Amino acid sequence: MSHLLVTGGAGFIGSNFVHHVLSHTDHTVTVLDKLTYAGNRASLDGLPEERVRLVVGDITDTAVVDPLVAAADAVVHYAAESHNDNSLHDPRPFLDTNIIGTYTLLESARRHETRFHHISTDEVYGDLELDDPDRFTEQTPYNPSSPYSSTKAGSDLLVRAWVRSFGVQATISNCSNNYGPYQHVEKFIPRQITNVLRGIRPKLYGKGENVRDWIHADDHSSAVLTILDKGVIGETYLIGADGEKDNKSVVELILQLTGRPTDAYDLVTDRPGHDLRYAIDSTKLRSELGWTPTYGDFASGLAATIDWYRANEAWWAPTKDGVEAFYASKGQ
Ligand code: NAD
Ligand code: TDX
């Protein structure tokens, strides 16, 4: 049994990870989360208090971070400002949390010789052409496009430097787009599901031709546990489940699964600098550490996600109007 410090554990992927750890291991967990607009205490409801504790605090605050890192067997670092559209509007919190926050945690991990796993994104590699036969690998050069992805790239490079210069026991994973329960309604899939549930037409940026490589958040969690267990210190692992879909197809599937006409969506103003396509080659993780995803069928994973949003309106309703007002002010 181990004690994990999970930063950002009240956010989307972090809370899915905490649920996964509780049901698949006997580890105990401390969540460190600032509860920004993206964090939600309710995402941890129903978990046993003797195994999960929530500390509300900021990862840039050494006084909060240091004793928690000292008490943990491993840190799993999810906390971040995570939304590209917000980073185009106000980049500063991305620099504070993603860069200074990661630096603060690394310094504590260095002081206390604590195992560290850094959660990152495939967006650090930039984007691919629609017809490019290649996918991202661990060797792809960094080429981030947005303030969000550039701060994630910066945080990855800090981790690599702290491994090489100070011997911090760290690994990194870069994952593709996640979907599943507890995702904020500002993001693509929950925005469109909750639009449909509210009688609003889904909104596609540009022509809807951009491609994302979808993985269920639970598969991301099992991959992270595999890396914590068997990963080689200093190594980077790409996480993906061969789930490439263009945005228009995803919206059409949501409309079909909810019994609406599949052309009942609007094309809206595109995102500036919008990455065209992401695609992950996760051969290294599969062949060296023996991981495989379990959510093979996107349509059934999406149907289950729609059911979750239908059954949990109290979780998302308080944020929905504010998010739509923000997008409307940008013609989106
Ligand atoms: P999210 O925005 O849903 O959650 C982020 C969490 O971090 C929130 O609970 C928030 O309160 C917390 N947080 C923010 N700033 C903080 C601070 N200064 N101190 C403490 N807590 C703070 O994000 P997410 O989609 O769950 O992403 C989690 C991680 O996974 C991020 O590092 C992101 O880059 C990475 N990632 C996300 C995806 C995806 O598809 N969403 C894909 C690959 C990687
Ligand atoms: O209303 C929308 N309409 C639309 O067409 C929204 C919100 C998005 N989009 C498009 C933009 C993207 O091509 O859908 C795609 C997905 O958008 P997001 O959910 O904002 O995700 P993305 O920008 O791809 O980034 C996500 O995956 C990588 C996460 O938010 C990041 O945290 C992660 O690093």
Side-chain angles (χ1 to χ4, degrees):
M1 189 197 83
S2 296
H3 181 63
L4 304 181
L5 176 64
V6 179
T7 71
F12 164 45
I13 312 182
S15 64
N16 273 279
F17 178 72
V18 175
H19 284 270
H20 187 93
V21 165
L22 270 280
S23 53
H24 290 83
T25 74
D26 58 2
H27 302 331
T28 55
V29 173
T30 296
V31 169
L32 171 59
D33 199 296
K34 191 178 173 182
L35 297 182
T36 67
Y37 80 95
N40 191 339
R41 204 183 272 280
S43 303
L44 300 170
D45 277 357
L47 296 173
E49 280 173 27
E50 63 282 8
R51 288 184 63 200
V52 185
R53 166 172 88 113
L54 170 64
V55 175
V56 179
D58 193 322
I59 57 164
T60 66
D61 183 347
T62 302
V64 172
V65 163
D66 207 54
L68 298 176
V69 173
D73 297 304
V75 178
V76 191
H77 174 35
Y78 288 91
E81 285 293 336
S82 70
H83 194 35
N84 277 300
D85 291 322
N86 293 346
S87 80
L88 296 163
H89 174 67
D90 180 15
R92 178 62 197 245
F94 290 75
L95 291 149
D96 292 337
T97 291
N98 301 358
I99 302 283
I100 302 298
T102 301
Y103 155 77
T104 307
L105 287 158
L106 282 168
E107 282 291 83
S108 285
R110 173 187 175 195
R111 256 190 302 277
H112 302 292
E113 299 183 5
T114 310
R115 172 84 170 84
F116 191 87
H117 182 69
H118 180 62
I119 303 294
S120 193
T121 169
D122 58 0
E123 296 193 21
V124 299
Y125 299 115
D127 60 355
L128 298 161
E129 293 299 326
L130 293 178
D131 60 357
D132 191 331
D134 289 335
R135 300 188 289 172
F136 298 138
T137 72
E138 289 78 5
Q139 279 70 49
T140 305
Y142 274 37
N143 187 26
S145 312
S146 74
Y148 162 67
S149 53
S150 61
T151 58
K152 291 299 291 187
S155 67
D156 292 8
L157 299 182
L158 292 178
V159 177
R160 290 186 186 187
W162 261 243
V163 170
R164 174 154 175 172
S165 300
F166 304 125
V168 168
Q169 300 287 294
T171 42
I172 299 174
S173 55
N174 298 79
C175 189
S176 61
N177 283 60
N178 286 221
Y179 73 99
Y182 302 111
Q183 187 169 27
H184 196 279
V185 296
E186 69 186 356
K187 301 295 193 327
F188 177 57
I189 286 181
R191 183 181 184 207
Q192 313 316 336
I193 293 173
T194 55
N195 275 357
V196 170
L197 295 180
R198 279 271 169 98
I200 305 168
R201 286 162 71 93
K203 311 290 180 208
L204 274 170
Y205 293 173
K207 296 186 194 133
E209 65 184 359
N210 304 62
V211 170
R212 296 294 182 264
D213 188 355
W214 294 100
I215 180 173
H216 195 280
D218 204 45
D219 277 335
H220 189 177
S221 297
S222 70
V224 170
L225 274 185
T226 302
I227 297 166
L228 274 177
D229 191 27
K230 301 191 226 163
V232 176
I233 297 304
E235 291 293 311
T236 289
Y237 298 91
L238 264 56
I239 305 173
D242 303 329
E244 281 188 72
K245 301 258 175 302
D246 65 68
N247 293 338
K248 184 162 155 291
S249 305
V250 174
V251 160
E252 287 169 349
L253 189 52
I254 291 170
L255 288 163
Q256 185 199 318
L257 290 167
T258 51
R260 271 68 171 182
T262 54
D263 60 354
Y265 58 79
D266 295 329
L267 298 178
V268 296
T269 310
D270 207 352
R271 172 185 285 172
H274 194 175
D275 280 341
L276 195 50
R277 171 174 162 242
Y278 307 137
I280 288 268
D281 178 347
S282 58
T283 303
K284 177 178 175 183
L285 177 63
R286 293 173 193 236
S287 61
E288 293 184 11
L289 304 189
W291 173 81
T292 44
T294 57
Y295 286 76
D297 177 25
F298 180 71
S300 51
L302 188 61
T305 304
I306 293 170
D307 288 345
W308 188 88
Y309 281 90
R310 204 179 260 126
N312 290 279
E313 187 163 352
W315 183 90
W316 57 265
T319 53
K320 181 67 183 168
D321 290 346
V323 165
E324 287 310 311
F326 173 77
Y327 280 128
S329 73
K330 310 210 158 325
Q332 295 180 320

